[in-house]
């Protein structure tokens, strides 16, 4: 058999899950078994390699995604461990954008939890093949088949168990491999490094045969070759099953399901084998698409070193004050010292150093090629979502969408010395985190930071004092409102003034109309060059965009408004870009005042899992918070309540929920929509 090319032996995978399902522990074990770490770090001791930030170690949660590279059976695996907490969804989103496959970790006791649904749907959005790992099989109440059934009910893809557990809770010893019909048992003395493979004992033989039959039946539906064997009553060989399973996984038809317990070091080696067997290499995924900025036509780039360079910057990180840019190279090669072209910023950038990352440690490399995830020092202008390419063959890859912040908090520096550090620090943090917004309010002389949730802002404030030595006083969290209009209106704006020695004139007529909630703003330019010369059209649109940033009621951004530029006037020698810009902004503000403006508040989708006996109290409390119950799903002893609740009513909810349910209920919330306040 010919040796396989490097790119076909590469895997770019993410590990995603609900908070506390154990994904960082799974990553730590993978690093240990692939020889990257000499000892296993534990999240609860604050020693996990992948959770290297002090804020992560104290809270025992993952905040930023960490990238690392390891080798397993002649394959190079690039792994990103992502956060599970809903406030850091953007970290998961931007990592999924550049990955080829993912391991979704579920807890064997809790099963499919709200945040694991969110990440699953995010992975579906980017068409990413998945392997499921049911972790914590040693915990009391663990139930492998219950979790598989929950996955079937919640997701559109079909889960296919390729293992079944041997024992459960404190008797969990290993797994039965349904493809090779062998039993794997881990011993507790070698930290799970060694395990024995034996024939399946009599008491498990019937269950194994039954589950294998089910597995082959599902695969026969996806694979014609296997279907013929199945119908002829012949046994497919393990290699035929693996080939069919690989194809069905990459086509997003099935999700192989494995199980184990990462904390007790059982079940990790077969998971690594599954990554190599079933998840795609960069060659197996469709070529990346982008737009050529010169021709405006769609182009594709195959995953090959021979093609022109196309790479996406998916994350910016500060490391000892220097800016580190993480790249996914889709095609072509880069070497340190190269010049690359940032097609979004229209700037050339020089690569000072090329690094392969191992969480927060690094190794210098001279060049990197298609399919790799690398970090770069030396890029000044590049921000998250920018495309780097070859200037002769420009291409712009699809840009990332970022969530709008829903919560804000006023902060002020404790001393003038802190003020200077604060401004610098916030610029750097905004580079790193596209969901953080910063605004300076003149009337209160306060800086307002906005983000995705209370925890998000708490971490930002913590990093300000710890990493940047900028001490701040913090105000109470506040809701970020929006404004919109409710009526269709036509209006005009005129500007006529002498500024300096020069006359400035502009007259612009516009139509404003409300748009459907959540569709965003739209500007339609119907101006002809006879009315207003084309060179001023950009200034007019810019004036309107700037006016949309602060509304007429309480200076909150205006959303879901359609603007048509219909008419205007031009005076030779007097008309200016400045004049048109101010006239357009005036027309927009006057129009909003007449169009019945209204305040909108953020509504959150809240997902609560509570023991049945507290359900009445929890629902009563949600109703008291102006919430609307969307669904109640009983899941055995617990029930899941989904509700839409205004964010304003959710401050301090975790404390209230704990005291109402003796600390036994949990909840997550995620932004749903804006609605009338």
């Amino acid at each position: 058999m010919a040796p396989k090319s490097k790119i076909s032996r590469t895997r770019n995978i993410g590990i995603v899950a609900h908070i506390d399902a154990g994904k960082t522990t799974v990553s730590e074990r993978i690093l240990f078994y692939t020889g990257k770490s000499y000892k296993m770090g534990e999240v609860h001791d604050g020693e996990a390699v992948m959770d290297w930030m002090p804020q992560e170690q104290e809270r025992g949660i993952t905040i930023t995604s960490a990238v690392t590279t390891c080798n397993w059976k002649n394959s190079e695996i690039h792994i990103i461990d992502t956060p599970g907490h809903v406030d850091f969804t953007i970290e998961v989103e931007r990592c999924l954008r550049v990955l080829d496959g993912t391991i979704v970790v579920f807890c064997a006791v809790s099963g499919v939890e709200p945040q694991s649904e969110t990440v699953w749907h995010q992975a579906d959005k980017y068409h990413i093949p998945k392997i499921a790992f049911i972790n914590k099989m040693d915990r009391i109440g663990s139930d492998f088949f219950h979790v598989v059934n929950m996955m079937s009910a919640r997701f559109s893809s079909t889960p296919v168990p390729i293992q079944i557990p041997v024992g459960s809770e404190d008797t969990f010893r290993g797994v039965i491999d349904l493809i090779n019909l062998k039993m794997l048992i881990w011993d507790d003395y070698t930290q799970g490094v060694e395990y024995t493979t034996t024939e399946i004992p009599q008491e498990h033989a019937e269950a194994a045969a039954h589950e294998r039959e089910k597995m082959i039946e599902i695969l026969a539906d996806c694979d014609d070759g296997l279907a013929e064997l199945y119908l002829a009553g012949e046994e497919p060989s393990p290699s035929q099953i693996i080939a069919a399973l690989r194809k069905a996984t990459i086509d997003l038809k099935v999700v192989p399901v494995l199980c184990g317990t990462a904390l007790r070091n059982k079940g990790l080696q077969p998971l690594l084998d599954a990554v190599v067997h079933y998840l795609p290499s960069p060659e197996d995924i469709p070529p990346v698409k982008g737009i050529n900025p010169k021709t405006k036509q769609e182009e594709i780039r195959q995953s090959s070193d021979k093609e022109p360079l196309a790479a996406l910057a998916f994350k910016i990180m500060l490391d000892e004050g220097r800016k580190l840019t993480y790249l996914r190279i889709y095609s072509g090669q880069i070497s340190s010292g190269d010049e690359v072209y940032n097609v979004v910023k229209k700037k050339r950038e020089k690569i000072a150093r090329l690094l392969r990352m191992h969480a927060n440690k690094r190794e210098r490399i001279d060049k990197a090629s298609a399919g790799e995830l690398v970090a770069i020092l030396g890029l000044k202008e590049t921000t998250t979502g920018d495309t780097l390419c070859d200037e002769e063959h420009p291409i712009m890859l699809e840009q990332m969408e970022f969530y709008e912040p829903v919560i804000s908090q006023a902060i002020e520096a404790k001393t003038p010395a802190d003020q200077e550090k604060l401004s610098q620090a916030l610029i750097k943090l905004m580079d790193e985190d596209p969901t953080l917004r910063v605004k300076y309010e003149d009337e209160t002389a306060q800086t307002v930071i906005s983000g995705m949730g209370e925890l998000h802002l708490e971490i930002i404030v913590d990093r300000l004092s710890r990493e940047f030595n900028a001490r701040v006083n913090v105000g109470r969290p506040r809701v970020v409102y929006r404004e919109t209009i409710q009526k269709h209106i036509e209006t005009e704006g005129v500007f006529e003034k002498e500024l300096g020695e020069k006359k400035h004139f502009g007259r612009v007529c516009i139509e404003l109309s409300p748009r459907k909630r959540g569709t965003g703003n739209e500007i339609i330019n119907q101006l002809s060059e006879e009315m207003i010369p084309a060179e001023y059209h950009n200034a007019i649109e810019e004036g309107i965009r700037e006016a949309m940033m602060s509304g007429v009621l309480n200076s909150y951004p205006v959303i879901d408004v359609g603007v048509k530029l219909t008419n205007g006037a031009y005076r030779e020698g007097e008309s200016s870009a400045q004049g048109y810009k101010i006239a357009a902004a005036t027309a927009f503000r006057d129009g909003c005042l007449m169009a019945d403006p209204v305040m909108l508040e953020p509504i959150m989708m809240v997902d609560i899992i509570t023991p049945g006996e507290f359900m009445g109290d929890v629902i009563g409390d949600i109703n008291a918070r102006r919430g609307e119950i969307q669904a109640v799903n009983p899941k055995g002893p617990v029930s899941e309540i989904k509700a839409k609740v205004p964010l304003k009513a959710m401050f301090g909810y975790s404390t209230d929920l704990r005291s109402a349910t003796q600390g036994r209920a949990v909840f997550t919330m995620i932004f749903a929509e804006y609605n009338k306040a």
Side-chain angles (χ1 to χ4, degrees), residues 31 105 134 227 252 308 345 354 364 403 456 486 506 526 648:
L31 295 184
V105 182
I134 298 178
L252 303 184
K345 303 281 190 297
L354 210 49
R364 280 182 74 164
Y403 300 96
H456 185 194
Q486 303 183 84
Q526 295 182 338
K648 192 171 187 224

Side-chain angles (χ1 to χ4, degrees), residues 326-435:
Y326 283 85
L327 281 192
R328 161 73 199 254
I329 306 172
Y330 284 101
S331 63
Q333 290 183 317
I334 45 176
S335 307
S336 62
D338 280 1
E339 259 201 359
V340 290
Y341 182 62
N342 181 334
V343 65
V344 179
K345 303 281 190 297
K346 301 189 172 55
K347 292 265 173 68
R348 288 190 194 145
E349 293 262 48
K350 188 150 168 95
I351 292 170
R353 275 189 195 175
L354 210 49
L355 304 166
R356 179 164 290 141
M357 299 305 289
H358 175 47
N360 64 334
K361 300 186 182 63
R362 55 177 67 170
E363 135 196 20
R364 280 182 74 164
I365 51 176
D366 295 326
K367 72 172 195 184
S369 45
E372 291 194 58
L373 297 172
V374 290
I376 288 183
L377 279 171
L379 302 184
K380 295 188 173 60
E381 308 278 342
T382 303
T383 52
T384 304
D386 287 358
T387 304
L388 298 177
C389 61
D390 172 358
E391 199 170 353
E392 300 298 303
H393 304 91
I395 185 168
M396 190 185 286
L397 303 176
E398 185 194 350
Q399 289 188 285
M400 298 182 176
E401 296 167 15
F402 298 123
Y403 300 96
E404 286 301 313
V406 291
I407 180 170
S408 68
Q409 196 167 31
I411 56 174
E412 54 190 25
K414 289 191 172 173
T415 66
D418 287 322
Q419 180 57 48
E420 203 150 284
K421 291 178 194 158
L422 179 64
S423 331
Q424 292 292 313
L426 287 172
I427 291 170
K428 289 179 172 169
L429 286 172
M430 279 202 301
D431 260 354
E432 203 173 295
D433 181 351
T435 54

